[in-house]
Structures are given as C-alpha cells and as structure tokens.
Amino acid sequence: MLIVMNRNAPPEQIQRVVRIIEAKGFTARPIPGGDRVSIGILNNEGPVDPALFLGLPGVKEAIPVTRPYKLVSREIKPEDTLIQVGGVTIGNGHLTVMGGPCAIESEEQALTIAAHVKNAGGHIFRGGAYKPRTSPYTFQGLGLEGLKILAKVRERYDLPVVTEVMDNETFDQVEEYADIVQIGTRNMQNFSLLKRAGLSKRPIMLKRGMSATLEEWLMAAEYIMAGGNHQVMLCERGVRTFVRHSRNTLDLSVVPVVIKESHLPIIIDPSHAAGVRDQVIPLSRAAVAVGAHGLMVEVHHEPQNALSDGAQSLYPDQFARLCADARKMHAVVRAES
Ligand code: PEP
Ligand code: MN
C-alpha cells in the first residue's frame, strides 16, 4: 500500500504515519515527490487496512499496490526517475550514450578509446576492470589497476565511468572509483550483491539476467531500492534463445512494458545482444525508436587485438555514426511524444 500525503504535509504528520506503519511490524519507506511525500508500506504479508491511515491529518489517500514489486513500480511513483551523474542526466527526455571497451586492457588503450567516445558525443565511458568470463583461462580484467585507469579517463576527458562489480568483496573498491556501478547479467539474482548495492551511494545499472522474466528483473531492482538506494537503471542486453544468427536475442519489446510498469530508466546494450558488430548500429536505432533512455555500446580502436568481445566492438568511426543516428532518432521520438 502507498500512503499519499497532502501537498506540503509537515514532517510531524509524515512521522506519525511512519510510526503507525512500524507499530504494525511493517517497514515504512518515505518517497519524496515534487511537493508531496508518499510513504510505501513494505514487508506486509497480507493486505493492509486503509482505515488505519485515512482520516489522519495530512493523509490524502491510501492506494493498494497490486504488483509484487513496490518501490520499482509506477503505482508507487508515477513520475519518471531521473539519475544525475557527473553532469549527465539519465532518464525520460534524455538520450545517454555510454561507450568504451569490454575490458580495460591498458592505460593507453582506455585513453585512446575514451578520446573517440568523447569526440563522437558519448556521455559516459564504459569498461570492465573485473570481468566475468566464461572460461577461467581467458583475461579476467586488470582489477584495481583497471579502476585506477578509469579514474584517469574521467579526469582527462570529463566522462563519468561505469564499470561492473562482480562480488561483495570488491564492492567498496569498485564504488570508490565508479560513477555508476554495473551488476552484470550473471549476477542479476545474486541477492547478497543486490543487498550491498542497496547500501551504495552510487547509481546502479542492473542488467537483465540472460533468461530472466520481466518480473524477476524488476524484483531484483526492488532488492536494491528496498535497501535504500533509489538510483537504479535497468539494462536489457539480450536474452538467450534458440537463434544462431546473434549471440543473444535483443528483447526490444520489453522496453515499452518496462516503461509502463516502472519509473526507472531503461538502457539498451546492443553489443552483448548481437555478438557481432554489424548488427549493433541497426539495433541501436531501433532501441531509441522504441523509447529506450540510453545505449551502452562496446568500442575498440583495434578490435582484432581486443582481449574480450572484439567481434562485437565497434570501430571508432562506427561509434560516431551510431551516436549521430541515435541523436536523429531521438529527435524524431521526442517530436512524436
Ligand atoms: C559487460 O557489459 O561487460 C558484460 C559482461 O555484460 P553482460 O553482463 O550483459 O554479459
Ligand atoms: Mn563485453
């Protein structure tokens, strides 16, 4: 249930509602809005009696929340969440393009690619320092050294950086260096990692598990929000299907459904969906056309020598074309909405 307070209800009235919720053994989660606060009721097993709240000073209405995810849901927060990171706004009305290599391989490699990302008009630099690899015998990432290189990229090019955290042990370290902390597809239901992300001050990019339903994905985001971190963006990166013409199948049909169900920004990663670079630009155009709020794309100046995911990495000139196309498509989408 969501308790919606009157406009400008004073803190005493909000506190009184919180106390009543907590006295019942439930969790109260105040959600600041524009000029009114709503209070979400969490951890209730059965329905909550609205009569407990209706009639209290400052209470406007009590709305039952029908979805299993609460804080993530538009029922609880109708207005879109916007995430601010290093001067970049992510969310409805904005198109945020993130680009960079799959993995940080060296300082020279990262700085070279970052220059291309910046020149093309990219907003955020991506690059893995800790890499979840299928084989233990392939490049596992530079770890802390990679994070330090990301910090240099941010400083030199004034680009916020997004990088993946793989486990709780390295969370403190990753969040110290990252502007956005990424949780990868393989960890989408790593619940202890999600709980740790809920305590982070950094925005979290939560990738969809490679065979996760929409509900499982949104419930994973709920873990992060329930922990107190409301800066969450979702990232669709392709789901596993029977096809062989691409690495995964980019589920673009999830975008309008996510937008209907949730107020959180939705980013598309066409690179891990495609697995090959010639599909990445068309998929990116389609992603923007269907209403995605951003793209995250792998770029490499020497993809033939990349230590991971070279086949799907765009050449810098292709990334520049992608950025230009995406901007044009976004202008069309905005004009129509
Ligand atoms: C990545 O973005 O570097 C990555 C490993 O992606 P995913 O978790 O979607 O496979
Ligand atoms: Mn990759």
Side-chain angles (χ1 to χ4, degrees):
M1 175 160 298
L2 181 70
I3 311 300
V4 183
M5 302 300 291
N6 285 331
R7 269 176 219 286
N8 306 318
E12 312 81 75
Q13 294 181 348
I14 296 168
Q15 271 317 309
R16 185 168 174 193
V17 172
V18 168
R19 276 199 304 276
I20 293 174
I21 296 170
E22 289 177 347
K24 285 264 157 207
F26 309 147
T27 305
R29 188 75 71 208
I31 306 161
D35 56 357
R36 73 165 91 237
V37 168
S38 300
I39 305 161
I41 303 180
L42 307 177
N43 295 329
N44 53 303
E45 301 259 301
V48 180
D49 184 2
L52 284 171
F53 307 99
L54 294 170
L56 288 179
V59 172
K60 180 168 180 283
E61 52 188 332
I63 304 172
V65 178
T66 56
R67 302 292 196 266
Y69 34 87
K70 313 277 177 205
L71 299 168
V72 159
S73 155
R74 272 212 196 268
E75 286 181 319
I76 280 214
K77 183 170 179 274
E79 66 279 7
D80 292 288
T81 288
L82 295 179
I83 296 174
Q84 313 284 347
V85 50
V88 177
T89 304
I90 304 167
N92 192 14
H94 303 265
L95 179 72
T96 306
V97 182
M98 312 180 192
C102 180
I104 302 298
E105 299 167 1
S106 68
E107 183 173 323
E108 194 200 345
Q109 172 249 21
L111 291 174
T112 304
I113 298 170
H116 290 297
V117 168
K118 183 80 183 181
N119 287 340
H123 306 98
I124 292 176
F125 184 75
R126 66 143 287 148
Y130 289 100
K131 294 301 304 172
R133 302 303 304 281
T134 302
S135 164
Y137 307 118
T138 54
F139 180 58
Q140 303 286 306
L142 295 181
L144 179 58
E145 190 192 337
L147 295 174
K148 290 183 176 165
I149 294 171
L150 283 167
K152 284 192 185 152
V153 166
R154 173 177 44 233
E155 204 180 312
R156 169 115 28 125
Y157 294 105
D158 192 25
L159 285 169
V161 298
V162 54
T163 195
E164 177 165 354
V165 68
M166 270 175 46
D167 48 42
N168 287 33
E169 290 74 19
T170 52
F171 207 114
D172 289 357
Q173 195 187 84
V174 171
E175 74 178 347
E176 187 187 330
Y177 288 92
D179 296 291
I180 300 172
V181 174
Q182 175 176 325
I183 294 186
T185 196
R186 293 158 189 82
N187 266 321
M188 189 206 81
Q189 282 188 318
N190 178 339
F191 297 113
S192 66
L193 192 65
L194 297 175
K195 285 181 186 166
R196 175 63 185 82
L199 301 174
S200 178
K201 302 252 176 312
R202 300 285 183 213
I204 307 292
M205 175 188 283
L206 178 65
K207 291 190 131 189
R208 180 181 180 184
M210 62 185 81
S211 55
T213 63
L214 173 65
E215 190 172 312
E216 288 164 339
W217 189 18
L218 295 181
M219 289 306 281
E222 186 79 13
Y223 264 87
I224 303 170
M225 295 189 74
N229 186 353
H230 288 209
Q231 301 185 87
V232 180
M233 65 198 89
L234 301 164
C235 178
E236 157 65 31
R237 47 76 76 200
V239 289
R240 191 165 275 198
T241 68
F242 52 86
V243 306
R244 298 222 176 149
H245 58 263
S246 57
R247 179 173 173 183
N248 290 291
T249 297
L250 185 60
D251 181 11
L252 284 180
S253 66
V254 87
V255 175
V257 189
V258 163
I259 292 172
K260 184 163 148 242
E261 288 294 313
S262 176
H263 50 85
L264 298 176
I266 166 88
I267 309 296
I268 294 291
D269 169 352
S271 304
H272 290 89
V276 283
R277 73 176 65 82
D278 63 354
Q279 297 173 13
V280 171
I281 292 179
L283 289 176
S284 300
R285 290 196 209 110
V288 179
V290 83
H293 304 125
L295 300 166
M296 184 164 79
V297 178
E298 289 185 341
V299 186
H300 203 293
H301 62 306
E302 289 174 346
Q304 68 283 6
N305 297 327
L307 297 181
S308 64
D309 285 348
Q312 67 198 29
S313 299
L314 295 189
Y315 290 98
D317 63 322
Q318 292 178 309
F319 180 70
R321 183 143 43 85
L322 180 149
C323 288
D325 286 4
R327 281 193 293 268
K328 278 189 233 158
M329 186 59 84
H330 190 235
V332 174
V333 172
R334 284 184 70 165
E336 292 296 319
S337 58

